[in-house]
C-alpha cells in the first residue's frame, strides 16, 4: 500500500503513518470516542441490514499495538473493540462466508469465523505481512514484503518478497508467488483468478505491476505503467484493472492485458485508495502533496475523465474507503499522522453525516463491512 526508502524507514512502506511492531501481544485499552452527529436532515433513513457494521483497523504509534473497532451502521455507536490476536493491524476484510481476516504488520493473519468472539485460526509467522486480498473462492493472498522488514529483524527470514497463498480456513500455505516481485505493497485477484501485484520502492525504480495466471507462481507479464509508482489497485465489475499512481493519475487497463483504456488525471493528487459502487462509479481518495492540503475524495461516473463531484469537508489525510449497501461512503482519515477519524457521507453527499474521532495513538487505516 505504501512507499519505503531504506533501513528502519521500511516501516513506512507498510503504512506511511504508524510505527513498527515486534513487541509482545498486549491488549489495547479502549479509549473514549468523540462523536459528531450531523444527521440526515429530513431524509428518511434506516440503519441498514445486519451485515453493515463497520470494522476499522486502527494502528499504531510507539508502544501502541492497535485494535479492530466495530461500529454500529452509520457509525451510530461503538459495539466493541478486538485486541486479542491483533498486533499492528494493517488490513481488515471479510470473505463471502463472513469470516473476518485481520492482517498484522510483520506478524501474520488472524481469522474469526462468523459469530466467533475468539480467534478461530492464526497464520504465523509472516514477517512481512503488510496487506492481503481474497479471491472468489475465499483463498487468501498475503503480501510478504521481506524488504520492508527492518534489517535488524531479518534473521532466519527467506530473503525474497512473495505473495503467500492459503486455501480458505487453512493455515498451511498452498503456494507462494515470488517471481519478479520487488517491494510488493498491493494485491488484487480478479474473478478468473488472475493475480495483480503493485511493486515499487520509489519513483522510476522497480515501479510496475506484475500479473500471474491462476494458480501460477511464474510471471505472466508486467505492466510498466508509465512513469508512475502504483500505490493502490482495484477491479471494476468488468474486470478492468485500475492502478492509482503516484504522483497524480489513475490508469485503467483491459482485463488480463497491457491494453490501456483510460488515464485519469483531473482530480488526482497522491491517490491512496479506490473503490467502485454498484453503478460503476469510481471513488478515489487523495492525500495531496501540498503541505496545506488535507486531501479529498474524487467521484467519477463510469468512463469519465473528470470528477462528477469531490468531497472535501471532513476529509483529513484519507487512506481507506468503504461503501455499504445503501452507498453510504465511509472514509478513514489518519489526520496528518497525529490523530484520526472516520467520516460517513450519505449517497451523493459531500457533507459529513457523522464523524468518529480517535485518540492520538490509533488512527484508522483499513475499513470493511460485516456482521455484528
Amino acid at each position: 500500500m505504501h512507499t519505503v526508502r531504506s533501513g528502519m524507514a521500511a516501516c513506512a512502506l507498510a503504512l506511511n503513518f504508524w510505527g513498527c511492531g515486534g513487541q509482545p501481544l498486549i491488549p489495547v485499552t479502549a479509549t473514549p470516542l468523540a462523536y459528531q452527529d450531523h444527521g440526515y436532515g429530513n431524509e428518511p433513513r434506516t440503519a441498514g441490514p445486519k451485515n453493515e457494521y463497520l470494522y476499522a483497523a486502527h494502528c499504531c504509534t510507539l508502544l501502541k499495538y492497535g485494535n479492530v473497532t466495530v461500529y454500529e451502521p452509520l457509525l451510530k455507536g461503538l459495539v466493541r473493540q478486538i485486541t486479542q490476536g491483533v498486533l499492528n493491524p494493517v488490513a481488515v476484510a471479510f470473505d463471502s462466508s463472513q469470516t473476518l481476516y485481520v492482517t498484522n504488520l510483520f506478524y501474520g493473519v488472524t481469522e474469526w469465523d462468523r459469530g466467533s468472539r475468539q480467534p478461530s485460526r492464526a497464520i504465523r509467522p509472516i514477517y512481512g505481512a503488510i496487506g492481503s486480498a481474497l479471491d472468489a473462492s475465499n483463498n487468501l493472498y498475503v503480501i510478504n514484503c521481506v524488504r520492508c522488514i527492518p534489517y535488524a529483524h531479518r534473521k532466519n527470514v527467506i530473503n525474497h518478497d512473495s505473495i503467500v497463498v492459503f486455501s480458505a480456513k487453512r493455515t498451511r500455505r498452498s503456494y507462494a508467488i515470488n517471481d519478479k516481485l520487488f517491494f510488493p505493497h498491493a494485491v488484487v485477484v480478479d474473478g478468473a483468478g488472475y493475480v495483480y501485484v503493485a511493486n515499487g520502492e520509489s519513483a522510476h525504480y522497480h515501479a510496475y505491476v506484475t500479473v500471474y495466471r491462476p494458480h501460477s507462481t511464474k510471471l505472466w507479464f508486467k505492466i510498466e505503467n508509465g512513469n508512475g509508482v502504483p500505490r493502490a489497485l482495484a477491479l471494476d465489475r468488468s474486470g478492468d484493472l485500475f492502478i492509482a499512481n503516484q504522483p497524480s493519475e489513475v490508469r485503467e487497463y483491459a482485463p488480463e492485458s497491457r491494453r490501456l483504456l483510460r488515464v485519469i488525471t483531473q482530480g488526482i493528487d497522491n491517490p491512496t485508495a479506490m473503490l467502485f459502487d454498484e453503478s460503476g462509479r469510481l471513488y478515489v481518495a487523495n492525500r495531496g502533496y501540498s503541505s496545506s492540503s488535507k486531501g479529498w475524495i474524487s467521484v467519477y461516473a463510469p468512463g469519465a475523465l473528470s470528477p462528477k463531484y469531490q468531497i472535501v469537508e471532513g476529509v483529513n489525510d484519507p487512506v481507506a474507503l468503504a461503501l455499504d449497501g445503501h452507498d453510504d461512503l465511509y472514509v478513514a482519515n489518519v489526520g496528518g499522522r497525529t490523530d484520526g477519524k472516520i467520516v460517513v457521507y450519505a449517497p451523493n453527499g459531500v457533507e459529513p453525516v457523522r464523524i468518529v474521532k480517535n485518540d492520538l495513538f490509533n488512527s484508522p487505516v483499513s475499513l470493511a463491512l460485516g456482521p455484528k
Side-chain angles (χ1 to χ4, degrees):
M1 289 189 291
H2 309 274
T3 306
V4 67
R5 293 297 176 255
S6 61
M8 291 302 293
C11 291
L13 173 72
L15 288 175
N16 247 352
F17 38 78
W18 59 72
C20 289
Q23 300 90 348
L25 179 59
I26 300 174
V28 177
T29 302
T31 53
L33 302 174
Y35 281 80
Q36 296 180 15
D37 191 345
H38 298 261
Y40 273 88
N42 296 321
E43 180 184 356
R45 192 63 188 161
T46 59
K50 293 181 179 180
N51 65 343
E52 291 191 347
Y53 289 79
L54 185 73
Y55 287 67
H58 292 80
C59 206
C60 307
T61 55
L62 188 62
L63 301 181
K64 298 292 181 177
Y65 311 112
N67 61 67
V68 174
T69 304
V70 186
Y71 299 95
E72 295 277 355
L74 303 176
L75 299 179
K76 287 189 173 181
L78 173 65
V79 178
R80 67 183 185 278
Q81 289 184 321
I82 303 170
T83 57
Q84 185 179 359
V86 176
L87 180 63
N88 293 353
V90 296
V92 59
F94 285 91
D95 69 13
S96 61
S97 70
Q98 300 298 315
T99 296
L100 169 65
Y101 298 79
V102 178
T103 303
N104 299 279
L105 182 63
F106 306 145
Y107 184 49
V109 180
T110 309
E111 303 176 15
W112 287 259
D113 291 335
R114 181 169 187 167
S116 175
R117 292 296 182 263
Q118 300 294 321
S120 302
R121 285 168 302 284
I123 299 172
R124 306 279 189 268
I126 302 178
Y127 294 105
I130 67 165
S132 59
L134 292 156
D135 68 14
S137 300
N138 296 335
N139 297 309
L140 176 68
Y141 299 71
V142 183
I143 301 172
N144 183 24
C145 185
V146 174
R147 289 182 175 90
C148 306
I149 302 173
Y151 297 125
H153 297 282
R154 289 193 186 181
K155 295 179 180 179
N156 302 319
V157 177
I158 297 174
N159 192 27
H160 56 69
D161 299 330
S162 62
I163 305 297
V164 189
V165 185
F166 300 86
S167 297
K169 299 189 177 182
R170 296 290 185 268
T171 58
R172 183 185 296 275
R173 77 178 190 179
S174 297
Y175 61 96
I177 301 168
N178 56 60
D179 192 19
K180 301 301 185 294
L181 295 184
F182 190 87
F183 280 98
H185 50 273
V187 58
V188 293
V189 187
D190 70 15
Y194 290 84
V195 180
Y196 303 84
V197 183
N199 300 265
E201 180 184 8
S202 60
H204 312 296
Y205 185 65
H206 293 290
Y208 47 73
V209 173
T210 49
V211 185
Y212 306 86
R213 288 188 174 97
H215 311 295
S216 174
T217 62
K218 298 298 182 181
L219 177 71
W220 186 25
F221 64 86
K222 287 183 184 179
I223 299 174
E224 295 294 347
N225 202 36
N227 293 323
V229 178
R231 172 65 180 267
L233 305 175
L235 296 161
D236 69 9
R237 297 180 67 179
S238 299
D240 290 355
L241 174 69
F242 286 72
I243 305 173
N245 282 323
Q246 294 178 335
S248 55
E249 67 177 19
V250 171
R251 291 188 167 217
E252 178 185 2
Y253 291 86
E256 297 133 28
S257 81
R258 297 187 186 92
R259 184 161 61 92
L260 181 63
L261 301 177
R262 179 171 39 147
V263 180
I264 303 171
T265 58
Q266 294 185 45
I268 305 297
D269 191 12
N270 193 6
T272 57
M274 299 180 290
L275 56 69
F276 294 89
D277 65 16
E278 289 297 316
S279 69
R281 289 192 301 183
L282 170 65
Y283 298 72
V284 182
N286 300 273
R287 295 174 87 169
Y289 281 108
S290 169
S291 59
S292 62
S293 173
K294 292 186 177 182
W296 62 90
I297 312 301
S298 295
V299 184
Y300 301 84
L305 293 175
S306 59
K308 182 177 181 180
Y309 64 93
Q310 291 180 303
I311 302 171
V312 177
E313 186 68 29
V315 177
N316 189 3
D317 214 353
V319 295
L321 305 172
L323 282 166
D324 67 17
H326 297 288
D327 283 342
D328 299 298
L329 175 67
Y330 298 82
V331 180
N333 302 269
V334 296
R337 301 171 182 83
T338 56
D339 60 350
K341 61 183 177 181
I342 302 173
V343 185
V344 61
Y345 301 86
N348 303 306
V350 296
E351 299 290 332
V353 170
R354 192 168 289 109
I355 299 172
V356 179
K357 292 186 176 181
N358 303 102
D359 67 12
L360 296 177
F361 303 112
N362 290 305
S363 291
V365 296
S366 181
L367 304 175
L369 290 152
K372 185 175 181 179

